């Protein structure tokens, strides 16, 4: 089958380690299913793997990709949940299973014609969602869903600030939060993206460093070091900073005095559960909200999508079709 593979990590030139072409067919063990991929979405994790960030010993080569939607062996349209874990071992959350594995890390990923996963990782795809839309949900959109509705602790009418709002998680947080009745303020360096974020439902759009009208209840941040200090300063007393990424670095000054004096919470969040993915899909159906797709490309043009993502030229997701 045709696949997109991280053959090696090259920090200074990540695409130099990328290979596309023939790859062995999946050999699913008992209890697993093989899905014919109809659409797969890119994530920054794909670039990080190619750069060698947090790559495990012996991980490479590996098929990239963690997001996909397709058709299983029984002809059912499904969304592929990329976390392979036992909810019982994680206290009801498979992402907390000590033996958890992820597609494109310990297991071959979704940027291929076919991918195999445990049957419990197959979430029914609602007919109302296209394959391209559904393929965006397991990564950025599920991450934003958990950050907003489990970790942030903000009720409808509360104010949430989204840092780096033009990216995949950011646009998802703006769309989901607005649809759920949150007052969403969005920060982006790009004037064009700020206009697009307003169209998605952001109540207020701002450039980095712009003064806020008042403190906010929670901050959604995937940027990390570059925005950490501003995120803490934006919070009201008792507010919550939810982090799910560190694209600009992961070692900012902790500012412990501000945290304890204002009784702030700094909360980490990774992915979401398979049950949350099913609820996210249902939420999209019932509210009419849909993932923002920047472009749809054939799998053979994956380099084009990765280059655009690396350059920050996207608003929303890149979707690849085999």
């Amino acid at each position: 089958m045709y696949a997109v593979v991280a053959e090696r990590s090259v920090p200074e030139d990540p695409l130099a380690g990328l290979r596309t072409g023939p790859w062995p067919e999946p050999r699913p063990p008992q209890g697993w299913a093989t899905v014919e991929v109809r659409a797969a979405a890119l994530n920054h994790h794909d670039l990080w793997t190619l750069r060698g960030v947090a790559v495990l010993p012996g991980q490479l080569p590996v098929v990239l990709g963690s997001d996909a939607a397709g058709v299983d062996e029984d002809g059912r349209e499904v969304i592929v949940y990329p976390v392979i874990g036992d909810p019982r071992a994680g206290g009801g959350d498979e992402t907390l299973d000590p033996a958890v594995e992820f597609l494109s890390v310990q297991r071959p990923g979704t940027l291929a014609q076919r991918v195999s996963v445990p049957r419990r990782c197959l979430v029914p795809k609602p007919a109302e969602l296209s394959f391209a839309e559904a393929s965006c949900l397991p990564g950025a959109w599920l991450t934003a869903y958990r950050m907003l509705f489990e970790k942030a602790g903000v009720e409808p009418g509360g104010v949430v600030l989204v840092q780096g709002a033009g990216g995949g998680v950011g646009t998802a947080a703006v769309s989901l939060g607005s649809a759920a009745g949150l007052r969403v303020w969005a920060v982006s360096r790009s004037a064009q993206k700020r206009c697009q974020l307003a169209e998605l439902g952001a109540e207020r759009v701002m450039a980095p460093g712009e003064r806020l009208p008042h403190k906010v209840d929670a901050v959604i941040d995937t940027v990390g070091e570059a925005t950490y200090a501003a995120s803490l300063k934006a919070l009201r007393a008792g507010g919550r900073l939810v982090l799910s990424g560190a694209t600009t670095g992961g070692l900012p000054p902790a500012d412990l005095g501000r945290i304890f004096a204002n009784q702030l919470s700094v909360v980490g969040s990774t992915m979401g559960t398979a049950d949350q993915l099913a609820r996210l899909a249902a939420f999209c159906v019932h509210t009419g909200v849909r993932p923002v797709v920047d472009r749809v490309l054939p799998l053979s043009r994956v380099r084009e999508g990765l280059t655009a993502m690396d350059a920050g030229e996207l608003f929303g997701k890149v979707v690849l079709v085999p």
Side-chain angles (χ1 to χ4, degrees), residues 237-249:
R240 190 172 295 188
L241 169 57
V242 186
L243 299 166
S244 70
T247 56
T248 60

Side-chain angles (χ1 to χ4, degrees), residues 232 235 238-242 259 262-267:
L232 286 182
L235 289 169
R240 190 172 295 188
L241 169 57
V242 186
I259 291 173
N262 292 287
Q263 300 185 61
L264 305 179
S265 297
V266 179
V267 181

